[in-house]
Amino acid sequence: MAPIKSASPLFQPFKVGEAELKHRVVYAPLTRCRAIDTVPVPEMALYYAQRASEGGLMIAEATCIMPQAHGYPHTPGVYTRQQVDAWRPIVEAVHEKGATFFLQLWHVGRASHNNYQPDGSPPVAPSALAIGSDWEVYTQQGGPYKYPTPRALTKREIAATVQAYADAARNSIAAGFDGVEIHAANGYLLAQFVAATTNDRTDEYGGSLENRTRLLFEVVEAVVEAVGGHRVGIRLSPFNKFLDCIEPDPFGTYGAVVEGLNKYGLAYVHMVEPRVLGNADVTPEKGHTLKPFREAFDGPFISAGGHTRDTAIDTVASHEADLTAFGRWFISNPDLPLRLKLGAPLAQYNRDAFYSQDMVVGYTDYPSLTEEEVEDLQTATAKA
Ligand SMILES: Cc1cc2nc3c(=O)[nH]c(=O)nc-3n(C[C@H](O)[C@H](O)[C@H](O)COP(=O)(O)O)c2cc1C
């Protein structure tokens, strides 16, 4: 048997913001739809603590910044006192395990339904352009439904949305989080503004590249001002096709975005590899790669999507990224960093339970390795 590749590149220390990480295996933000009436539940403390490790970085599930921002059932928010209080023990449980914890800030824009909107009106977006019939929306009242045609945000509402991002960032820090990740990926509100295919505005938020990226930068600026750049990361997906939000010029547009982010002293930029679409694998188009973005950004860089033990080791060893984020494998392997270190087999994830409301099955019932299994694997590695 060939000896397994050493995972040591993944176990070198690295600084993100003010956190001294001990390894490069990041928990990717994963919506798990277990909140009740937008409020996080105590079971989430167990779930996240199971996946926390000494010196690890975790990014909590996408969390809504305001009532209009919701578009999936049972997703949490961080805009009320009750939500903030409910996050606090979850953050404490993760900190007790020695991990750094960021919260992903979310507004789904047009990827919503009237059922989620406070007054039953259509969802909000850059423009009144609906998501096509390849995609469906579920709400707590039922579904699947067609995505409704959204209504374009007014400039006054855009300003209120920017304010809501800043307030949500402050609330996250008040809940104990070490920082926030602005969700500008996967076809949600900020990405909808950036892509000309989803934004046909004629004011200063549409048209030119500068105009289409204006909201993204206003949000970054407001959030940085609220909590400090060292506490702010951002997630981008230049090659996204999810929810029909397609950027025709991924390198030009997102190259400019990444260049523009350099001046904020951000904790990190987190980018999605072209080999995934939302939560599933796809074949990347020829020439699609994150390399130019990595080169253009001066700070810490996270690569996410489709990582295996080997790709993560190679990506970090070749400096294509500083950190690698895992999604699906982290769902089914709570002790993923240890398993990668030891070259242990990975448990398969149960896709049916990704978004179910079961608080145990497919959520907190994936086991970690036992002490005995760890010892056996250590002996086997020492012999190899
Ligand atoms: C169940 C599930 C929920 C997800 N929720 C989010 C989310 O809340 N925010 C986000 O940016 N990406 C989300 N994603 C995408 C993941 O963060 C990640 O980019 C994707 O799963 C690809 O990585 P992987 O191949 O390691 O799973 C989700 C993916 C899955 C499978």
Side-chain angles (χ1 to χ4, degrees):
M1 212 174 71
I4 60 158
K5 197 191 278 255
S6 162
S8 84
L10 296 179
F11 291 86
Q12 304 304 318
F14 189 75
K15 199 163 176 195
V16 163
E18 282 169 2
E20 307 277 356
L21 303 184
K22 295 209 163 90
H23 65 76
R24 314 295 185 92
V25 184
V26 176
Y27 175 95
L30 294 162
T31 291
R32 302 305 313 275
C33 301
R34 263 75 176 180
I36 295 179
D37 294 335
T38 77
V39 180
V41 293
E43 286 84 351
M44 287 163 60
L46 175 61
Y47 171 80
Y48 281 111
Q50 285 174 335
R51 284 154 185 79
S53 59
E54 182 67 38
L57 171 63
M58 300 181 78
I59 303 149
E61 65 207 87
T63 296
C64 293
I65 58 156
M66 64 200 297
Q68 291 81 355
H70 289 268
Y72 293 86
H74 302 286
T75 50
V78 67
Y79 50 87
T80 69
R81 175 78 185 269
Q82 199 190 358
Q83 292 160 350
V84 173
D85 288 345
W87 273 115
R88 213 166 269 127
I90 302 169
V91 180
E92 275 167 20
V94 167
H95 282 161
E96 264 168 38
K97 300 279 291 283
T100 296
F101 205 15
F102 274 49
L103 182 63
Q104 195 185 43
L105 300 184
W106 201 18
H107 191 314
V108 301
R110 66 180 190 158
S112 184
H113 186 276
N114 302 45
N115 286 354
Y116 288 109
Q117 299 304 310
D119 48 4
S121 60
V124 296
S127 302
L129 299 166
I131 297 174
S133 55
D134 288 351
W135 310 94
E136 291 169 331
V137 54
Y138 288 84
T139 77
Q140 276 157 228
Q141 286 87 341
Y145 303 115
K146 266 179 60 176
Y147 274 105
T149 301
R151 96 182 151 73
L153 283 163
T154 64
K155 283 210 279 186
R156 188 188 289 253
E157 287 171 322
I158 290 178
T161 305
V162 173
Q163 186 60 47
Y165 273 99
D167 291 344
R170 264 186 230 101
N171 287 346
S172 307
I173 302 304
F177 282 101
D178 302 290
V180 293
E181 175 175 291
I182 297 167
H183 193 348
N186 301 349
Y188 298 113
L189 183 72
L190 298 177
Q192 289 161 24
F193 268 86
V194 173
T197 49
T198 46
N199 177 353
D200 66 4
R201 297 178 75 96
T202 51
D203 63 5
E204 65 263 42
Y205 290 95
S208 67
L209 174 61
E210 191 188 349
N211 283 358
R212 285 181 284 115
T213 57
R214 186 178 308 281
L215 177 60
L216 185 149
F217 283 112
E218 284 182 359
V219 168
V220 170
E221 211 146 322
V223 171
V224 166
E225 195 180 309
V227 300
H230 63 291
R231 290 205 183 100
V232 181
I234 186 165
R235 195 172 216 218
L236 304 167
S237 57
F239 309 109
N240 178 69
K241 295 193 170 61
F242 192 59
L243 301 172
D244 287 346
C245 184
I246 297 165
E247 173 48 55
D249 178 19
F251 290 109
T253 299
Y254 280 92
V257 168
V258 168
E259 288 275 357
L261 291 172
N262 276 328
K263 67 175 189 220
Y264 297 101
L266 297 184
Y268 62 81
V269 161
H270 182 181
M271 294 188 84
V272 180
E273 295 280 351
R275 62 186 169 226
V276 295
L277 186 157
N279 64 14
D281 301 309
V282 289
T283 307
E285 270 176 49
K286 205 161 175 277
H288 281 185
T289 162
L290 295 183
K291 281 182 193 164
F293 307 115
R294 157 54 155 183
E295 277 156 28
F297 187 60
D298 297 338
F301 190 89
I302 309 178
S303 145
H307 277 297
T308 62
R309 182 176 189 274
D310 278 359
T311 65
I313 294 170
D314 292 346
T315 299
V316 172
S318 63
H319 304 288
E320 280 175 39
D322 302 301
L323 301 149
T324 49
F326 284 76
R328 290 163 290 176
W329 290 123
F330 236 130
I331 289 177
S332 50
N333 296 274
D335 53 352
L336 184 66
L338 178 64
R339 290 192 197 218
L340 297 181
K341 186 177 214 171
L342 298 172
L346 299 186
Q348 189 54 48
Y349 43 83
N350 171 13
R351 193 171 269 279
D352 292 341
F354 278 178
Y355 310 107
S356 77
Q357 274 79 64
D358 199 306
M359 297 295 180
V360 178
V361 178
Y363 193 54
T364 53
D365 64 348
Y366 291 108
S368 290
L369 295 172
T370 61
E371 272 179 37
E372 210 176 358
E373 285 168 329
V374 172
E375 274 168 30
D376 288 351
L377 282 157
Q378 279 166 335
T379 316
T381 318
K383 277 192 196 146

